[in-house]
Amino acid sequence: MNSAIKCPSFEEYVSQGAKPRSRLNVNESVEFAHPIDATIIKVLDNKLINELFSKYVGACVDLTEGLALASSIKVDENSQPELYAVLNECADKLGIDVPYTVISRSVPGINAQTVGTDEFSYIAISSLLNMLLSVEEQKFVLGHECGHVALGHVVYHTALRTIGNFGNLIPVVGAAIAATIQYPLNAWSRKSEISADRAGLICCGDVATAKKALLKLEAGFMNIDKLDVDDYLENTRKFRQGNALGKFTELFYEHPIIPKRMEALDLFANSEKYYRISGQEIPEGKRLLSDKELEKRTNEIIKILL
């Protein structure tokens, strides 16, 4: 008897009732997005580009993720009611359908990722995330992933993860072609992560919780309860200022490093934009960053080279 697991294709998952194109319409005003990220997504959002990326990504995911997806545990109101409630709250706050979500052994450590195309994207989380993060911290992480779905990042992120492998298939010039595509995509990806972090903060509603969740993603099993976050940020800031060569390494990163993401979250949490979106009452006498100040200072934090 053949007991091999059948690996459904993306088309089969879509036909099984996955909700198509749950992202927000590109013409909608998505205030929390980093302006450059929002502009690039609008440029990319045309039929020809979407079809090209979707076909490439669909084939890659069938090949690299299909088996893991087929054996993963779907998160719904029956299998994981507490986690599903968090996911439902995040999706509702961001104005999208609840994304198809699974607990997958393919996601290492304490982490989550969103994979796929506009037709079918899904969130994969590690089992440790549910075990080691509080409900409020889960709201930040799942809100971050829902932010990627809402803003239409997923197909381009998935393509970025696979471009290096694609380049290796082409003799001699493949790596150079892949790098030519990868560097500008990396630059966009780092800004898209800032947008998604803002979505996470909107979902959890507390910047201290958001920063603690980011630290747990960085520290793994380390107990961070007694860690002085301000001291941590100051130490990393001093090291970054004296590490000129290390800045070139960041060009290869798809995410800003964790300290930069935490500093950018602090700026957003103290901005007119955040209070406008969240509807929270502004504390009396609190000075908030204007939209222009917020983006200027955020760009100063996440820039790599002059």
Side-chain angles (χ1 to χ4, degrees):
M1 178 178 178
N2 186 355
S3 60
I5 298 174
K6 182 181 184 296
C7 178
S9 68
F10 256 31
E11 288 78 9
E12 288 175 303
Y13 272 110
V14 172
S15 68
Q16 290 169 9
K19 293 182 179 179
R21 201 170 177 81
S22 58
R23 59 177 285 186
L24 297 172
N25 188 290
V26 73
N27 294 316
E28 290 184 68
S29 175
V30 185
E31 263 202 296
F32 62 83
H34 185 287
I36 295 176
D37 170 34
T39 299
I40 290 174
I41 288 297
K42 284 184 179 180
V43 171
L44 290 173
D45 193 67
N46 70 65
K47 186 177 180 181
L48 181 62
I49 292 177
N50 279 337
E51 285 183 358
L52 179 64
F53 271 90
S54 293
K55 287 180 180 178
Y56 169 68
V57 165
C60 289
V61 175
D62 281 344
L63 179 66
T64 62
E65 304 288 340
L67 191 59
L69 182 56
S71 60
S72 298
I73 299 170
K74 182 182 177 182
V75 174
D76 59 26
E77 60 270 30
N78 297 315
S79 66
Q80 298 286 324
E82 295 85 2
L83 193 59
Y84 185 78
V86 171
L87 188 66
N88 190 71
E89 181 178 334
C90 292
D92 184 62
K93 281 191 176 182
L94 297 178
I96 61 171
D97 296 325
V98 178
Y100 190 96
T101 303
V102 296
I103 298 173
S104 174
R105 58 180 174 78
S106 68
V107 183
I110 308 170
N111 215 338
Q113 64 181 21
T114 308
V115 180
T117 66
D118 282 343
E119 285 68 36
F120 177 58
S121 57
Y122 70 93
I123 298 173
I125 66 174
S126 68
S127 58
L128 291 176
L129 186 143
N130 193 25
M131 294 169 59
L132 300 179
L133 266 60
S134 70
V135 169
E136 297 307 311
E137 291 162 355
Q138 290 172 26
K139 288 180 184 178
F140 172 76
V141 174
L142 293 179
H144 173 105
E145 300 303 330
C146 286
H148 283 315
V149 175
L151 294 172
H153 294 158
V154 181
V155 66
Y156 310 115
H157 275 194
T158 309
L160 180 56
R161 292 190 192 109
T162 59
I163 281 172
N165 293 332
F166 174 75
N168 292 334
L169 298 176
I170 306 175
V172 185
V173 298
I177 294 172
T180 301
I181 302 170
Q182 193 166 19
Y183 292 142
L185 276 176
N186 279 346
W188 158 73
S189 179
R190 290 189 291 271
K191 294 177 178 64
S192 75
E193 294 299 330
I194 296 299
S195 299
D197 280 347
R198 291 176 177 181
L201 179 57
I202 290 166
C203 290
C204 79
D206 179 69
V207 70
T209 298
K211 292 194 293 184
K212 190 173 181 181
L214 283 174
L215 273 176
K216 285 187 176 181
L217 299 183
E218 177 78 5
F221 289 102
M222 174 183 169
N223 186 344
I224 64 165
D225 290 340
K226 295 184 179 180
L227 180 66
D228 186 319
V229 175
D230 291 335
D231 186 56
Y232 164 76
L233 289 175
E234 182 60 29
N235 286 336
T236 62
R237 195 176 296 116
K238 289 178 181 177
F239 182 79
R240 296 196 319 258
Q241 289 171 350
N243 185 24
L245 291 177
K247 293 180 180 179
F248 289 94
T249 305
E250 284 189 73
L251 292 171
F252 297 90
Y253 289 8
E254 297 172 24
H255 292 61
I257 60 175
I258 293 292
K260 288 186 176 183
R261 292 171 65 182
M262 293 171 70
E263 290 175 358
L265 272 174
D266 271 329
L267 292 179
F268 183 58
N270 287 283
S271 70
E272 293 175 357
K273 182 174 287 190
Y274 173 66
Y275 278 88
R276 191 165 63 242
I277 295 169
S278 66
Q280 293 187 31
E281 185 177 344
I282 301 173
E284 187 176 350
K286 185 178 181 67
R287 183 192 176 278
L288 299 175
L289 296 173
S290 68
D291 291 5
K292 185 176 181 179
E293 288 176 304
L294 168 65
E295 305 308 348
K296 178 176 182 293
R297 291 182 60 180
T298 299
N299 288 336
E300 288 172 354
I301 287 171
I302 63 175
K303 73 180 179 182
I304 295 175
L305 301 173
L306 295 176

